[in-house]
Amino acid sequence: MNDPILPAARDFLAQNPIPHCINGAPKLSSDGGTREILNPADGSVIATVSFGGTAEIQEAVAAASKAFPAWSAMSPSERAVILHRWADRMEKESAVLSQIETLDVGKTITAAEGFDIPFGIEGLRYFANFSVYAQYETPLALKNIEARVHRAPYGVCGFIFPWNFPFDLLIWGVAPALAAGNTVVVKPSEVTPLSTLYAARLATETGLPPGVLNIVVGDGPGAGAAMVNHPSVKRISFTGSTEAGALVGAACGRRIIPCKLELGGKGAAVVFDDADVPSAAEKLAAAITLNTGQVCCTATRWIVHERIYDAFASAAVLALKNVKIGTGLDRSTAMGPLVSEVQRKRVMGYFEKGTQAGARVVLEATVPKGAGYFVSPWLLEGGPDNICFREEIFGPAAYLTPFRTESEALDLIHHVDYGLANSLWTNDLNRAARFANQMVVGNTWINAHNVFAYGLPYGGVSRSGMGGGVNSPATFYDYLRDQTIARPL
């Protein structure tokens, strides 16, 4: 049964348009620009938002710059109190946030309630608490020199986020930056900006000082480029495609400012012949249908030992066929629509290109009749030179290929230059540990996929990213610059 829209969510979505949040206040675009936000489940308009560009970014950066001296001068405990109050308010409104996230992205309400919203709120509390006990001064034991390392916030930090996990990515990004004493300007995806705008409104209502958190909805060439190139922005964090990340990195390189890039992936799941085949197949099927496969770290290359290959393929097909597809607000739904018609055409285009290049169909891709951007899970098999083995698809799709030896499996893993997240499936934990050490990847999970916890570092290497990860103490220290202070004795 579909959940009824809560009054607070309905009132928020009914604004025409929903404004940006600049300097702690609602702000319409200077040129009156707006953008319609569509419901992926049926293509209908669920909201209209202000759509900005250079003028709004300039105003937001100015507000953040003005707010920085007072915010950074607060003690970590004082900032933590404010961030906890924000978390308290979001917990009270978690049902509203969950509905907004479900309507905007197309994900299931059970996923939004069970993971996205509570895990994001937990992240805000984690970094608020960590900031109180972090090391801001480190004495150095040196001969004839009195010295220390002083750590201080950068100033205005800019964030550009994608559309697949808007709430969690917002918090994973801004929580450590704010807790460390920086002020921020955020450009959420213009496709799914709603939970970000709602969270910002709650932040203002619970006492976050004006200018500390600013949200401008716009596109990459307009608002995104204006932020990256603004001389007062001291650090950039970009999450999105590898291609767009390369452009952001190049722009930051020209300005010589730090840049954190969290980019795409083409995760490999290596299933050894001693693995629990039914369990591995079920969990990997769940991984590629989570958020309709729109997860950068999901495992889309299934590299399976030849002895169990047929049994695994049969079990995976059975699991994927049993996935219930429907609208996100229907609590019986296991997989919702893709975020947009553009994304559906991309996913189906890869199926066509993959089969035309010789991949064999294990499970056919279908587009259900009716409204919405739905597509069924699909599975291909073949060699590693196929486009569906090499390129990120970002949909409920996987590609099967067999292996005989560990060295062959390693070669298949490293056949592509992504390095975000892989998983190993085996009952031999010694082999798992040995094999994991040989992979060039940011994250390795054993007998599971998508393992997240605060304190567990997460980040990519190679074409999957650079400049640090998220969710750990290292993330917090990313938002503090080191300064050595020394006096000869």
Side-chain angles (χ1 to χ4, degrees):
M1 178 179 293
N2 287 345
D3 283 4
I5 305 301
L6 295 169
R10 191 180 299 278
D11 291 346
F12 174 74
L13 298 174
Q15 299 175 85
N16 191 14
I18 300 172
H20 311 287
C21 179
I22 299 176
N23 201 30
K27 177 70 177 181
L28 301 180
S29 296
S30 59
D31 64 357
T34 62
R35 179 185 173 96
E36 292 181 337
I37 306 300
L38 304 183
N39 184 344
D42 59 15
S44 65
V45 177
I46 55 175
T48 300
V49 298
S50 294
F51 191 79
T54 300
E56 287 69 38
I57 290 294
Q58 289 177 339
E59 186 175 354
V61 173
S65 298
K66 183 179 180 181
F68 174 68
W71 180 249
S72 62
M74 287 184 182
S75 70
S77 294
E78 289 173 320
R79 290 194 297 266
V81 167
I82 295 172
L83 296 178
H84 270 287
R85 296 295 81 79
W86 184 22
D88 291 342
R89 181 64 184 278
M90 289 195 292
E91 281 186 343
K92 291 178 181 178
E93 304 241 14
S94 61
V96 177
L97 280 164
S98 295
Q99 284 195 341
I100 290 172
E101 195 82 331
T102 294
L103 288 168
D104 200 6
V105 184
K107 65 180 65 209
T108 65
I109 187 67
T110 53
E113 290 177 343
F115 177 80
D116 293 53
I117 303 306
F119 195 65
I121 295 170
E122 182 186 347
L124 184 57
R125 295 196 187 281
Y126 171 81
F127 285 111
N129 291 337
F130 187 88
S131 70
V132 177
Y133 304 104
Q135 287 189 324
Y136 300 92
E137 303 284 339
T138 302
L140 302 176
L142 301 173
K143 181 181 179 181
N144 295 325
I145 301 175
E146 179 186 82
R148 60 190 168 96
V149 174
H150 171 68
R151 296 181 179 90
Y154 281 88
V156 180
C157 295
F159 293 85
I160 300 174
F161 295 122
W163 44 259
N164 56 335
F165 286 90
F167 182 78
D168 277 343
L169 293 173
L170 168 74
I171 302 300
W172 292 0
V174 306
L178 293 173
N182 301 279
T183 55
V184 303
V185 177
V186 174
K187 190 204 85 63
S189 168
E190 66 273 25
V191 179
T192 58
L194 299 179
S195 63
T196 298
L197 291 167
Y198 194 79
R201 187 172 82 172
L202 298 181
T204 298
E205 292 176 356
T206 51
L208 192 69
V212 170
L213 171 66
N214 305 274
I215 313 295
V216 175
V217 180
D219 60 17
M227 180 194 297
V228 170
N229 291 301
H230 197 292
S232 295
V233 175
K234 303 302 182 183
R235 186 178 181 94
I236 289 289
S237 176
F238 172 86
T239 307
S241 72
T242 298
E243 294 73 20
L247 297 176
V248 172
C252 290
R254 287 191 295 270
R255 290 192 52 219
I256 317 179
I257 63 170
C259 181
K260 180 195 292 286
L261 301 176
E262 299 288 340
L263 308 178
K266 191 65 180 175
V270 181
V271 186
F272 291 98
D273 55 353
D274 67 336
D276 182 334
V277 170
S279 176
E282 182 180 356
K283 290 176 180 177
L284 287 172
I288 68 162
T289 55
L290 173 69
N291 207 39
T292 320
Q294 300 163 125
V295 184
C296 57
C297 60
T298 198
T300 58
R301 294 182 294 151
W302 294 352
I303 301 169
V304 182
H305 196 279
E306 63 180 10
R307 289 196 191 102
I308 60 167
Y309 185 87
D310 291 341
F312 178 88
S314 297
V317 167
L318 180 62
L320 291 171
K321 283 184 175 179
N322 287 333
V323 173
K324 184 181 184 301
I325 301 172
T327 60
L329 289 180
D330 184 341
R331 291 186 174 273
S332 66
T333 292
M335 188 180 87
L338 293 163
V339 75
S340 66
E341 180 62 19
V342 170
Q343 190 62 18
R344 181 164 67 174
K345 288 180 178 178
R346 172 187 171 90
V347 171
M348 293 303 295
Y350 269 103
F351 182 83
E352 294 172 6
K353 287 183 283 189
T355 54
Q356 288 171 2
R360 296 175 295 278
V361 176
V362 180
L363 181 62
E364 184 80 25
T366 61
V367 175
K369 294 181 179 179
Y373 313 129
F374 296 93
V375 63
S376 70
W378 52 267
L379 185 58
L380 300 179
E381 65 178 354
D385 292 327
N386 190 278
I387 189 173
C388 291
F389 184 93
R390 293 183 288 105
E391 295 187 10
E392 185 176 38
I393 298 171
F394 230 56
Y399 190 96
L400 272 164
T401 194
F403 76 95
R404 291 183 180 180
T405 65
E406 289 187 18
S407 61
E408 184 183 359
L410 274 173
D411 288 343
L412 288 167
I413 290 169
H414 297 144
H415 192 73
V416 301
D417 198 28
Y418 286 105
L420 187 51
N422 296 336
S423 56
L424 306 178
W425 303 78
T426 177
N427 287 320
D428 186 342
L429 297 185
N430 289 327
R431 173 166 61 183
R434 181 185 69 250
F435 193 89
N437 288 344
Q438 300 176 73
M439 292 190 295
V440 180
V441 69
N443 310 276
T444 300
W445 300 313
I446 298 173
N447 293 328
H449 204 87
N450 295 327
V451 180
F452 291 92
Y454 292 108
L456 179 66
Y458 170 86
V461 297
S462 302
R463 284 174 55 81
S464 290
M466 58 167 283
V470 297
N471 295 351
S472 75
T475 312
F476 178 83
Y477 288 116
D478 271 347
Y479 291 99
L480 294 172
R481 58 176 178 80
D482 288 354
Q483 177 184 352
T484 60
I485 301 173
R487 180 177 68 89
L489 298 175

